[in-house]
Amino acid sequence: MNARILLALFVIFPVSALAQGVDKLGDKLADLRFEGRIEASMRSQVANSVNGFLTDIHFTKGDRVEAGQLLFSLSSVVYEHQVNAAQALLDRRQIELAQAEANVERVSKLEDRGTATQVQLEDASARLALAKVAVDEARIGLDLRKLELASTTINAPITGYIDSPRLSRGAYLKTETGKPLAEIVQVDPALVSFAHPYDSLLELHHVAPERIEEYLDRFAVHVTLPTGEHYEQVGRIAFTGTELNSDGGLQVWAEFPNPEVILIPGLQVSVSVELKK
C-alpha cells in the first residue's frame, strides 16, 4: 500500500515489539473521527489532435462511457485524400528504388567488363542510397497521414461518466485553441479525502511507536453518509500529502469501491479508521 500516514513519526523498533502497541493503536483509532469529502478518482479531458469539422457526437450528457468508446467524429475526406497521396508517393519511391538497384547491378557488370568506370559505379551506388532514404521518408509520411486520419475519430481515454459536449455538430475544431470537447469523471473507485491532525498523529505515536508500516494493509477505512447510514464498502488508505495543510493536518486519501455511485464527488461524509481484526 502506497501510504505514508504516521510513518514519518514512528521510531524503528525490533519486530518482536510490533504487536505490543497494536491493541492500543486500535483503541486509539477507534476514538478518531474525521470530516471527509468525496472526490473523483480520475478526471480526463477529451480533446482533438487534428483540425476539422465536427460531424457527429456519439453520446449524451451523463452517459457512462467505456475506455476506447467512440465519442466524436470529425470530417475525414481531406485526411483520406492525404493518405492516398502519401501512398502514391511511397509507390513511386519504391519504383525508383527498384530502378536504382537494377542500375547498380548493370553498372557493376559493366565495370567488371571494363566498359564502365569506378566513378560511374560509385555514382549509381549513391543514387541507390538516396532512393532508399526517399522510400523511408515516404513510408514515414504515410504513417503520419494514417495517424491523422485515425484521429478524426475521438475515443474515450478512460471509463467514467461524461458531461455535455462543449461544441455542437458543424463546429470547426482547431488544435491550437486547446479547448476540451468534454470531460470524463471516474467515480468507481471513489476517493475520500480527509485531514489527520498533527497532534493526533503524535498521540498515535505515543501509544504505538513500533514499526507499524508492516500493518498498513490492516488499516480499514469506513465512511458514514450525511443521512447517518454507514456505507457498506470498506476503503483502504491510497496515498497522503507530503506536507501539512493550512489547518495543521496531514491530508489523506482513501479509496473505496463505488459500483452503485453512491459516493458522489463533493459529498461530505464522516470518516473513521480501524485496524482489521
Side-chain angles (χ1 to χ4, degrees):
M1 180 178 296
N2 183 23
R4 290 294 178 268
I5 182 172
L6 314 178
L7 294 187
L9 300 173
F10 282 69
V11 179
I12 306 301
F13 279 82
V15 176
S16 60
L18 283 175
Q20 296 179 5
V22 172
D23 291 338
K24 292 182 179 179
L25 176 61
D27 293 339
K28 190 63 183 178
L29 287 172
D31 296 332
L32 298 177
R33 293 292 183 274
F34 311 97
E35 292 301 316
R37 182 177 183 275
I38 305 301
E39 298 180 5
S41 55
M42 187 179 299
R43 294 178 181 270
S44 181
Q45 302 285 338
V46 181
N48 57 299
S49 59
V50 294
N51 299 330
F53 288 99
L54 181 58
T55 58
D56 209 351
I57 300 172
H58 304 276
F59 66 92
T60 57
K61 178 182 179 180
D63 281 353
R64 184 181 187 277
V65 297
E66 299 291 333
Q69 180 177 329
L70 178 62
L71 300 179
F72 298 96
S73 295
L74 277 63
S75 54
S76 61
V77 176
V78 172
Y79 296 102
E80 290 170 356
H81 285 309
Q82 290 177 342
V83 167
N84 292 335
Q87 181 64 64
L89 178 60
L90 176 59
D91 293 342
R92 176 180 175 179
R93 297 305 186 208
Q94 289 174 330
I95 292 173
E96 293 172 347
L97 174 61
Q99 292 175 335
E101 291 173 337
N103 188 50
V104 166
E105 183 177 359
R106 181 182 64 83
V107 174
S108 179
K109 290 180 180 179
L110 292 176
E111 197 266 342
D112 290 340
R113 298 172 186 171
T115 56
T117 65
Q118 181 65 30
V119 172
Q120 289 174 313
L121 179 58
E122 291 175 354
D123 180 67
S125 298
R127 292 179 183 275
L128 174 59
L130 290 174
K132 290 180 179 178
V133 171
V135 167
D136 290 340
E137 289 177 340
R139 184 175 289 112
I140 292 171
L142 176 60
D143 290 341
L144 289 174
R145 294 306 185 188
K146 286 181 177 180
L147 285 175
E148 291 174 342
L149 177 60
S151 296
T152 59
T153 56
I154 302 174
N155 303 318
I158 63 172
T159 296
Y161 292 87
I162 192 166
D163 66 359
S164 57
R166 312 290 169 80
L167 295 172
S168 58
R169 292 176 179 84
Y172 187 77
L173 309 183
K174 293 184 178 181
T175 56
E176 57 266 26
T177 61
K179 294 182 179 179
L181 304 178
E183 183 181 58
I184 301 175
V185 178
Q186 188 175 91
V187 293
D188 184 21
L191 293 178
V192 178
S193 171
F194 61 97
H196 199 303
Y198 181 76
D199 56 355
S200 179
L201 290 174
L202 286 178
E203 291 180 16
L204 290 176
H205 166 63
H206 292 319
V207 299
E210 294 83 7
R211 206 177 81 183
I212 67 163
E213 66 262 26
E214 297 185 16
Y215 288 88
L216 284 179
D217 60 350
R218 294 178 54 186
F219 286 143
V221 186
H222 305 276
V223 298
T224 301
L225 303 176
T227 59
E229 179 182 357
H230 295 288
Y231 183 61
E232 62 181 10
Q233 300 283 359
V234 178
R236 66 178 186 86
I237 296 174
F239 54 93
T240 73
T242 57
E243 58 186 26
L244 298 181
N245 60 27
S246 58
D247 296 325
L250 180 67
Q251 204 69 25
V252 181
W253 285 266
E255 184 179 86
F256 281 80
N258 192 28
E260 297 178 359
V261 198
I262 294 176
L263 303 180
I264 300 175
L267 183 69
Q268 300 294 325
V269 295
S270 176
V271 182
S272 62
V273 182
E274 68 173 358
L275 282 175
K276 299 177 184 177
K277 303 301 183 182

